[in-house]
Amino acid sequence: MVKIGPSMLSADFSKLANEITAVASAGADFIHWDVMDGHFVPSLTIGPLVIKALRPHCSLFFDVHLMISPVDPYIDEFAAAGADSLIIHPESGPHVHRTLQKIRRLGKKAGIALNPSTPLNVLNWIIQDIDVVLLMSVNPGFGGQEFIPEQLEKIKQLRQFLDQHAPNRFIDLQVDGGVNEKTAPQIIAAGANRLVAGTAVFRDGVTQYAHNIQKLRKA
Ligand code: DX5
Ligand code: ZN
């Protein structure tokens, strides 16, 4: 079963509570939060306070994508804010293994995000500590970018890698960046089971969210 999570980066920030309620009733399976620090990536977005404020407004799984460096000092705060998963980039700190274990110890799902240029072998010695791999099909930092077609081959190899290296449990493969009704079928065929979509979900305003999510699901 493919799960679809709207990236709130494309929502109307003047009314985030309404926006998450709207996508939840439009059929979203989870909510994706893009946390950016203006240093690891050029943009600057939200921190734990915003996630905490919105937590009571929505019972869906909160998927928190941390594009911040250093990441370690903020893990506790994001966990306490109500994140269900914390996804880190391996480039964002020197002790990725320890960070992942900490996330799990806090009772959260632990994830690794792979930039388009990050090789799969960064997963070699941490595979036992991850629940989800977020494959970036654009360079992180902005919504509305074009899907990088070469990443389709990477998705295939990643699915094989995960099945080979963790044969006894299913690790989620989530794709983020440039997901739309044209790219989604290729991404799923390549082996992803979770899709993050910003532009494609929030396009044309609140009356279209259900239609947009439906279109992705049908695709
Ligand atoms: C990019 C973010 C994505 C982004 C996706 O750094 O990680 O989650 O919001 O946006 P679209 O779907 O517009 O490519
Ligand atoms: Zn993201």
Side-chain angles (χ1 to χ4, degrees):
M1 245 298 262
V2 175
K3 304 260 191 229
I4 298 174
S7 159
M8 298 309 292
L9 195 58
S10 298
D12 181 341
F13 269 53
S14 72
K15 42 181 181 199
L16 282 176
N18 296 349
E19 292 281 73
I20 45 174
T21 312
V23 286
S25 55
D29 297 305
F30 64 96
I31 302 288
H32 183 82
W33 294 104
D34 286 303
V35 178
M36 305 186 185
D37 66 354
H39 160 75
F40 184 72
V41 289
S43 307
L44 193 55
T45 58
I46 60 158
L49 281 180
V50 175
I51 290 174
K52 188 177 175 192
L54 290 159
R55 184 66 281 186
H57 293 269
C58 180
S59 59
L60 291 181
F61 186 97
F62 272 11
D63 190 54
V64 178
H65 179 192
L66 297 172
M67 288 161 272
I68 61 176
S69 169
V71 69
D72 288 341
Y74 302 100
I75 296 293
D76 285 301
E77 219 180 325
F78 278 104
D84 293 300
S85 67
L86 291 172
I87 301 178
I88 60 165
H89 283 257
E91 297 86 357
S92 67
H95 304 294
V96 174
H97 180 262
R98 183 159 66 202
T99 310
L100 291 167
Q101 292 199 322
K102 175 164 189 178
I103 294 170
R104 280 228 178 126
R105 224 181 309 118
L106 291 166
K108 311 298 180 184
K109 300 270 186 210
I112 281 285
L114 301 178
N115 281 340
S117 64
T118 304
L120 299 185
N121 65 15
V122 299
L123 301 172
N124 274 349
W125 299 98
I126 50 174
I127 190 105
Q128 68 284 355
D129 302 299
I130 56 183
D131 301 298
V132 53
V133 179
L134 180 70
L135 185 139
M136 296 298 308
S137 40
V138 299
N139 285 289
F142 310 95
Q145 303 181 79
E146 287 268 314
F147 182 84
I148 301 169
E150 289 74 24
Q151 295 298 310
L152 284 173
E153 176 57 28
K154 192 177 180 188
I155 297 168
K156 279 187 202 150
Q157 292 187 18
L158 174 58
R159 187 65 265 167
Q160 277 174 13
F161 182 98
L162 296 175
D163 293 341
Q164 233 165 52
H165 290 77
N168 300 321
R169 68 195 177 94
F170 185 78
I171 298 178
D172 285 310
L173 198 172
Q174 181 167 317
V175 172
D176 185 9
V179 174
N180 54 41
E181 55 279 19
K182 196 177 129 250
T183 56
Q186 303 166 23
I187 294 167
I188 297 303
N193 65 301
R194 286 168 74 90
L195 299 175
V196 172
T199 310
V201 167
F202 288 97
R203 183 185 297 144
D204 300 327
V206 64
T207 57
Q208 298 306 302
Y209 296 168
H211 174 69
N212 292 343
I213 292 174
Q214 203 54 36
K215 261 203 309 201
L216 277 176
R217 228 182 266 290
K218 281 206 188 114

